[in-house]
Structures are given as structure tokens and as C-alpha cells.
Amino acid sequence: QGKFTLLRDSRTDGSFLVHHFLSFYLRAGCKVCFVALLQSFSHYNIVAQKLGVSLAAAKERGQLVFLEGLKSCLDLLFGEEEQPGQPSPLQFLSGRSCELRALFDFVRVSLTPAGGDSWKGPMLLVDDLSVLLSLGAAPVAVLDFIHYCRVSVCYQLKGNIVVLVHSNEDSEDEENELVVNSLCHHSDLILWAEGLATGFCKDVHGQIKIIKRLSLRQAAEEDQVQIYQYKIQDRNVTFFAPGLSAAVL
């Protein structure tokens, strides 16, 4: 409880980690707020069904609160009428304000326990945070949003946060790298998926670096780092030590 996990990908697609955490927390009986900025609901639902979870059923029973960012953006940009008293969580796109206060309010209201709720704990999942920068949000506003979410979800509600960000160390996108580096300093756990430096391989799709931020809890401790390679299959992901793939053995 109260953990902030950062999913970071470079030169590869780390969305398989998002699907894992989404299905994991739903199966665990947690209340999940999913801020999906990258894909449609049907896309996530199809993948979740392969993992044995129905997002549609989770929405119906109130366990999953889903923000479909693509649809919200279209509604705002093409002038769909907002319902009175229910501003869009992405209303910063309309130019009225550069803050992400409305998005934070959406998360807070979604995860605040109501009378009769029996969920084990709240969980916020964001896929992916880099899209907010692409939509025009300032780096400071994005970092403020995550800070307030951590205070509300991790510390007040004793829940967990999982956020995906794209990064490229060779990129000239200084704003994105600023956000990524700042989040790395504040996260309890970093799962960093990277593409292979040698290029494409059908038996090894990439490597994942697991960084446990022990130094965040105790200043004298060093962070614990583990490196595995992985292969994504239709319904699961296989992990193995570097050099021990089927292509080598």
C-alpha cells in the first residue's frame, strides 16, 4: 500500500506492463481508476479478455472507472456540449486553464470510498503520461498532478499508483525527459523496458530493468537493480536471465 510504481520504456513498447497491472489489480478486488490516454476502451478490453478479465463487467459493477482520453479530446476539440456541473477532466485543452486540476478532481472523486464499497483498496493507472505533454500541458502542471495524486491516493487513501511514460535518452524533447527524470527520483519502484541494442530478435523482444528504490526509504541504502530479458506471447510474457533465451540455448 502507498507505493508509486513508474513504468518506463525506451526504444520499445511497454504497454504489456500496463495490461498486466490493470488485470492484476482488478483480479485482486481493488477499485481502479484508469486514465487511458493512448488507446480506446475496446483495445484495452480485448487485451484484458485474453488475460481473463472483463473490463466491461468491471465498469458495470463499479470497480473500474475508465477515462477514455481519445474520446474526451475529440469531444472538447469539436465542441461537444459539457454536461452542467460535470466539466471534462481534460478541460485544459479548451485553453481556459493550463492546470490539470479537473483531471485530479476526476481521480480523487473516482477513488474516494463511498458508503457500501467493499473494494480492497484504490489504485490509479495512467497510460501514458507523456501524452499530456503532447496535448500541451506544461511539465510543471504534469508533475503537480502526479504530486497531488500521490498525496491523495498513496498517503490519504493508502492506495497505489502505476504510471507509464515514454523516454528516449537521445531525444531532443527536453520537457518529457524532465518529467521522466523527476518521476524516477520519486518512485518506489521503476520497471524500465528497453529495446535490444542489437536490434530485432524473434526470441527476445527486449530487456526489463527492475529498480527497487531502497534509497528512497533509507538514505544509506543503494538501489537494488535486476535485469531480465523477455518475450511477449499471446497471453503472457516469458522472462529469463540475459543470454538464456531459446535462441541461445
Side-chain angles (χ1 to χ4, degrees):
Q1 291 183 337
K3 300 294 184 183
F4 175 67
T5 301
L6 179 67
L7 312 179
R8 179 178 179 180
D9 61 16
S10 303
R11 305 188 309 275
T12 191
D13 183 8
S15 60
F16 68 96
L17 294 169
V18 173
H19 297 300
H20 160 73
F21 279 103
L22 177 60
S23 60
F24 173 81
Y25 279 103
L26 287 175
R27 278 198 297 264
C30 297
K31 178 71 176 285
V32 177
C33 177
F34 187 11
V35 179
L37 303 172
L38 202 60
Q39 301 285 354
S40 65
F41 176 80
S42 60
H43 168 83
Y44 293 106
N45 192 37
I46 290 171
V47 178
Q49 286 178 342
K50 290 184 177 181
L51 300 176
V53 175
S54 172
L55 300 191
K59 280 184 66 176
E60 288 180 6
R61 62 177 177 262
Q63 184 184 9
L64 173 65
V65 180
F66 189 93
L67 172 62
E68 192 165 0
L70 295 174
K71 183 177 183 301
S72 297
C73 289
L74 290 175
D75 290 346
L76 275 170
L77 294 175
F78 292 99
E80 292 289 331
E81 291 293 329
E82 293 182 1
Q83 297 182 14
Q86 293 183 345
S88 169
L90 300 181
Q91 65 178 1
F92 74 94
L93 286 172
S94 62
R96 300 172 195 166
S97 173
C98 61
E99 296 179 344
L100 298 176
R101 184 187 298 272
L103 184 57
F104 166 69
D105 288 339
F106 171 82
V107 171
R108 179 178 53 80
V109 171
S110 299
L111 293 179
T112 299
D117 279 354
S118 59
W119 310 118
K120 291 184 179 179
M123 184 264 182
L124 169 64
L125 178 62
V126 182
D127 181 24
D128 79 75
L129 203 66
S130 304
V131 173
L132 291 176
L133 295 172
S134 301
L135 293 175
V140 173
V142 174
L143 292 174
D144 282 348
F145 165 68
I146 293 297
H147 170 72
Y148 283 108
C149 284
R150 288 185 65 200
V151 171
S152 177
V153 178
C154 293
Y155 297 108
Q156 294 179 352
L157 301 176
K158 305 300 180 184
N160 297 292
I161 297 179
V162 178
V163 173
L164 173 69
V165 289
H166 293 300
S167 74
N168 187 350
E169 294 171 334
D170 300 326
S171 172
E172 296 181 357
D173 190 346
E174 295 180 358
E175 291 187 344
N176 188 73
E177 294 308 303
L178 172 66
V179 170
V180 172
N181 291 332
S182 178
L183 293 179
C184 285
H185 286 297
H186 293 93
S187 55
D188 298 285
L189 175 68
I190 303 172
L191 303 180
W192 188 352
E194 299 176 285
L196 296 175
T198 53
F200 174 78
C201 175
K202 68 176 183 178
D203 292 303
V204 184
H205 292 157
Q207 77 170 19
I208 185 167
K209 187 182 296 182
I210 304 171
I211 306 173
K212 297 180 180 178
R213 298 293 316 287
L214 302 180
S215 60
L216 198 65
R217 303 297 178 188
Q218 297 179 346
E221 292 287 338
E222 292 186 1
D223 293 342
Q224 188 179 62
V225 181
Q226 296 173 296
I227 297 178
Y228 296 94
Q229 291 180 337
Y230 64 87
K231 179 181 180 180
I232 300 175
Q233 297 168 320
D234 190 38
R235 296 177 185 273
N236 62 358
V237 182
T238 303
F239 295 91
F240 39 84
L244 296 182
S245 69
V248 177
L249 299 178

